[in-house]
Amino acid sequence: MFVAAVVICQHVVRSSRRWIQEQQYQPWRLRPLKLQPLSPVPSDIEISRAQTPKPISQLAQEIGLLPEELEAYGNTKAKVHLSLLNRLQHQPNGKYVLVAGITPTPLGEGKSTVTIGLVQALSAHLKLNSFACLRQPSQGPTFGVKGGAAGGGYAQVIPMEEFNLHLTGDIHAITAANNLVAAAIDARILHEATQSDRVNNCNHNNIQLLRLLEYTFDLTPEEIRAFVRLDLDPEKVTWQRVVDTNDRFLRKITVGQANTEKGHARQTQFDIAVASEIMAILALTDGLGDMRARLGRMVVGSSRNGQPITADDLGVTGALAVLMKDAIKPTLMQTLEGTPVFVHAGPFANIAHGNSSVLADKLALKLVGEEGYVVTEAGFGADIGMEKFFNIKCRTSGLTPDVVVLVATVRALKMHGGGPNVTAGVPLPKEYINENLQLVADGCSNLKKQIQITHLFGVPVIVALNVFKTDTQAEIDMVCRIAEASGASAAVQCHHWSRGGWGSVELAHAVKKVASQKNHFQFLYNLQDSIVEKIRSIAQKVYGADDIELSPEAQAKIDYYNQQGFSALPICMAKTHLSLSHMPEKKGVPTGFILPIRDIRASIGAGFIYPLVGTMSTMPGLPTRPCFYDIDLDPVTEEIKGLF
């Protein structure tokens, strides 16, 4: 008996030691996948299908994830549980790298491709732990103008079909949650208008009962009415329905026209799903409790006496949290060279705040270890996605970047230098194919301005020139020379599209060197500045405007938000991505313009004020020649054709 007890104790001790060891940080044992780049470079989808991805469970094990922290969706993607943050809470963070860009052409300049090429170079070639954190693509651009967003060439996330279509259903969850709120609003307005106080008094839940704390126990008829009726003003409902499709005919609609709605018709609109406040909350939250609280704080409109009405008031918060409980977990995927990628959240940068999730970044920063690198991407130009990354995302996360990688292309610089219009689906004019040093030199004004914007925040910048096969060496050398003369810590040419990670090794070395240096990060404005002053700071210091002009509607909204105590929030500008100004046709560095603020919204749950600049729409439209023309399915092999 004694011997048996000793043996049992020894087993318990060994098991305990093994459990404790498993709970600690696990060094990576990453085995990269080999690439054999072809010339000419095949299509993205052909490259993706030619590479066999590692089983996602194998990749997870290689980067130190425990089996119980993984929730597989098939063999090539998996959700990662947030419990990882508790397990590695004492692990120091790695280096934090932000990829931004100059003002792009409508074709995009390859920020995602640079991001993926950089992490492939860091992990597969320099043998440094690195993680890419990307947004989930919206169906809008995938079927609209731009196409997929998995990167391109030999620097992409695989399988690219799964990355670009549905993924693990997060955008569908956001759409469902958003439209549940919309349905609850109209149902509440209808029932309050057609039922007595006694009937309405039966329609409450635990969330709404908290509102009783505002009243005494001996309720007067007026107090009973105030409790059972939100008295939402149909003219002041600010919550919109969403759909993840570019559908211009939903920009203004009328609801409630059926006889059963008893005359309660009103005008409203659809936004694209990635512009939903729930998407912004997903991208900015730090956990389930915080997400639920943010969902409850969302303001959906005003009562007739001017009080803000929230999702909590509607009693819908718990249901929203249930719909979003899986979406809050980042999705693990891999690059062509078998290095890890987190895909999570997908807010547009011209409409919303344009960055992947805080949670994905935090998880990745723990997983890479103190000597590792997390590379995350901000949407569109540095004037939009990067500015919002600093002023909104960094404020929320408490994280600050070590270096910015600013992506440029000769093509975009020629456009900014006065080249002809660049149009999706139309062959490039000869100016973009033949050498033209004057156009490049003139267009570098935009590059210089974006470098200056980065320096406003006290962060060093490396210019990554995404090289196309039509670029000449003289053009490449000119851009790198001007970039360094304009204050870039380094300027390097990148060939990841045609060579994979090996084509970005020079960039990886530059990032390693500059990220180790001390920077002096600072915000552009103080939160205690007035709403108008914060908008003016962005307009003047970032965009280069002379001043701002508020419409009467925008000024009225500012007055209301000040009255409600919402003034100490950061600003999320909705502005065209095709120009530093509000005018898409104005390239280079426009000056002498007044920035028109057409309207202002408040995303209280997400935690920012949301000005609409000029004619900017929150629902894009399909072009004359949309991408979906080329997409089809082989009914025999079930292979997708023409995705990219």
Side-chain angles (χ1 to χ4, degrees):
M1 288 289 292
F2 176 75
V3 173
V6 169
V7 171
I8 291 171
C9 288
Q10 288 175 337
H11 281 305
V12 170
V13 169
R14 287 196 204 99
S15 298
S16 300
R17 284 175 178 167
R18 189 162 50 249
W19 183 86
I20 292 169
Q21 188 176 12
E22 286 176 348
Q23 299 308 304
Q24 296 172 347
Y25 178 79
Q26 301 293 313
W28 284 24
R29 300 183 299 278
L30 189 71
R31 285 173 284 180
L33 299 174
K34 290 185 178 180
L35 273 187
Q36 294 181 323
L38 301 177
S39 182
V41 176
S43 70
D44 291 349
I45 200 163
E46 288 174 311
I47 293 171
S48 175
R49 286 179 180 156
Q51 183 69 289
T52 302
K54 291 181 281 191
I56 201 66
S57 57
Q58 177 186 329
L59 175 63
Q61 186 179 35
E62 290 176 354
I63 62 174
L65 284 165
L66 303 179
E68 60 267 25
E69 292 169 339
L70 209 65
E71 186 177 318
Y73 281 65
N75 199 40
T76 56
K77 57 187 184 289
K79 289 285 193 181
V80 174
H81 287 254
L82 304 186
S83 59
L84 173 68
L85 283 174
N86 290 328
R87 178 167 70 86
L88 298 182
Q89 60 183 305
H90 300 300
Q91 171 66 24
N93 287 341
K95 298 293 185 183
Y96 198 27
V97 182
L98 175 67
V99 176
I102 65 170
T103 304
T105 69
L107 307 178
E109 308 317 307
K111 287 192 311 300
S112 298
T113 311
V114 169
T115 299
I116 296 160
L118 174 55
V119 295
Q120 288 180 173
L122 286 165
S123 289
H125 299 277
L126 300 191
K127 308 304 179 186
L128 298 167
N129 294 353
S130 74
F131 233 109
C133 291
L134 298 176
R135 289 171 294 164
Q136 179 184 348
S138 162
Q139 183 177 295
T142 299
F143 291 148
V145 175
K146 190 178 177 184
Y154 287 100
Q156 57 173 302
V157 181
I158 57 173
M160 68 94 77
E161 304 102 304
E162 294 186 27
F163 181 92
N164 284 304
L165 299 172
H166 304 299
L167 198 62
T168 47
D170 293 355
I171 292 180
H172 300 315
I174 289 163
T175 303
N178 185 101
N179 293 342
L180 178 61
V181 176
I185 290 167
D186 285 312
R188 187 63 179 256
I189 292 172
L190 173 69
H191 294 316
E192 286 191 7
T194 58
Q195 295 176 355
S196 69
D197 289 351
R198 181 178 295 276
V199 174
N200 277 308
N201 197 22
C202 298
N203 298 325
H204 58 253
N205 63 14
N206 290 336
I207 296 173
Q208 293 168 303
L209 284 174
L210 292 174
R211 296 174 59 228
L212 276 176
L213 298 176
E214 301 173 17
Y215 304 104
T216 63
F217 285 104
D218 296 324
L219 299 179
T220 66
E222 291 76 17
E223 287 172 333
I224 292 173
R225 182 178 178 83
F227 170 66
V228 301
R229 295 182 181 276
L230 297 178
D231 203 25
L232 254 169
D233 187 340
E235 298 297 319
K236 293 181 180 177
V237 172
T238 55
W239 193 263
Q240 319 292 359
R241 289 165 170 83
V242 300
V243 64
D244 196 36
T245 302
N246 291 355
D247 192 343
R248 68 179 71 245
F249 283 88
L250 294 178
R251 289 172 178 169
K252 190 171 286 293
I253 61 170
T254 302
V255 295
Q257 291 188 309
N259 291 336
T260 51
E261 275 52 81
K262 303 176 183 179
H264 289 279
R266 67 179 182 89
Q267 280 198 336
T268 183
Q269 69 183 59
F270 271 78
D271 294 336
I272 192 150
V274 290
S276 169
E277 183 174 357
I278 298 177
M279 173 63 86
I281 287 172
L282 177 66
L284 293 170
T285 190
D286 66 3
L288 271 171
D290 176 66
M291 182 179 72
R292 191 182 186 285
R294 286 174 178 268
L295 292 170
R297 290 198 299 269
M298 295 187 305
V299 173
V300 302
S302 302
S303 66
R304 285 185 171 84
N305 66 2
Q307 292 303 306
I309 303 299
T310 67
D312 264 353
D313 292 329
L314 289 169
V316 74
T317 309
L320 300 181
V322 168
L323 286 171
M324 293 294 294
K325 72 178 181 65
D326 293 319
I328 197 172
K329 305 165 192 168
T331 300
L332 178 66
M333 295 188 75
Q334 63 192 283
T335 69
L336 276 166
E337 298 191 55
T339 68
V341 179
F342 272 140
V343 187
H344 201 211
F348 284 175
N350 55 348
I351 297 174
H353 75 282
N355 288 272
S356 62
S357 77
V358 167
L359 279 169
D361 290 358
K362 286 188 171 183
L363 288 167
L365 284 164
K366 296 299 183 186
L367 282 168
V368 296
E370 193 170 7
E371 302 301 318
Y373 296 82
V374 170
V375 185
T376 190
E377 174 200 342
F380 293 127
D383 56 304
I384 301 181
M386 186 192 73
E387 180 270 314
K388 295 172 183 177
F389 175 89
F390 289 145
N391 282 318
I392 298 174
K393 185 176 179 181
C394 288
R395 275 192 164 100
T396 301
S397 69
L399 302 170
T400 56
D402 295 287
V403 61
V404 168
V405 173
L406 186 67
V407 178
T409 63
V410 168
R411 177 180 68 194
L413 294 172
K414 286 181 175 179
M415 178 192 71
H416 289 297
N421 288 339
V422 175
T423 306
V426 177
L428 287 170
K430 63 179 180 4
E431 287 85 350
Y432 296 98
I433 298 170
N434 302 325
E435 181 175 279
N436 191 319
L437 294 176
Q438 190 59 55
L439 282 181
V440 174
D442 292 343
C444 278
S445 61
N446 188 271
L447 175 61
K448 293 177 186 177
K449 174 63 175 175
Q450 302 286 13
I451 291 171
Q452 292 169 6
I453 293 170
T454 308
H455 287 161
L456 286 174
F457 298 92
V459 182
V461 57
I462 297 168
V463 170
L465 183 63
N466 187 15
V467 176
F468 296 169
K469 62 183 179 181
T470 54
D471 300 345
T472 68
Q473 194 59 50
E475 291 171 333
I476 293 167
D477 292 342
M478 172 179 279
V479 174
C480 292
R481 186 170 62 252
I482 291 174
E484 290 184 347
S486 302
S489 298
V492 298
Q493 52 184 295
C494 301
H495 299 271
H496 45 272
W497 183 80
S498 58
R499 304 176 194 169
W502 184 247
S504 283
V505 166
E506 187 181 356
L507 175 61
H509 280 299
V511 165
K512 182 182 177 185
K513 179 180 177 182
V514 177
S516 65
Q517 300 169 2
K518 200 165 186 179
N519 68 43
H520 305 283
F521 176 76
Q522 61 185 7
F523 295 116
L524 185 69
Y525 51 76
N526 294 319
L527 290 181
Q528 299 311 314
D529 294 344
S530 70
I531 293 174
V532 171
E533 282 307 310
K534 284 181 282 198
I535 296 172
R536 183 176 284 119
S537 290
I538 297 170
Q540 293 179 332
K541 296 177 184 177
V542 177
Y543 306 155
D546 286 348
D547 204 350
I548 63 173
E549 181 179 58
L550 298 171
S551 71
E553 184 176 6
Q555 184 59 64
K557 292 281 188 68
I558 289 174
D559 293 341
Y560 175 73
Y561 297 147
N562 287 335
Q563 174 194 342
Q564 295 301 329
F566 301 151
S567 62
L569 293 174
I571 302 298
C572 182
M573 303 284 270
K575 180 186 80 71
T576 179
H577 59 288
L578 296 174
S579 173
L580 283 162
S581 72
H582 61 287
M583 300 166 283
E585 70 280 4
K586 298 294 184 183
K587 306 303 182 183
V589 183
T591 57
F593 64 94
I594 305 295
L595 193 76
I597 308 301
R598 169 170 59 90
D599 193 9
I600 297 183
R601 301 178 185 175
S603 295
I604 304 305
F608 52 69
I609 300 291
Y610 184 5
L612 299 175
V613 178
T615 58
M616 189 66 205
S617 172
T618 52
M619 170 55 83
L622 286 170
T624 305
R625 180 53 169 84
C627 292
F628 66 68
Y629 278 13
D630 302 313
I631 298 173
D632 203 351
L633 182 72
D634 186 317
V636 177
T637 64
E638 297 187 9
E639 281 194 346
I640 297 168
K641 301 176 181 178
L643 185 59
F644 207 59

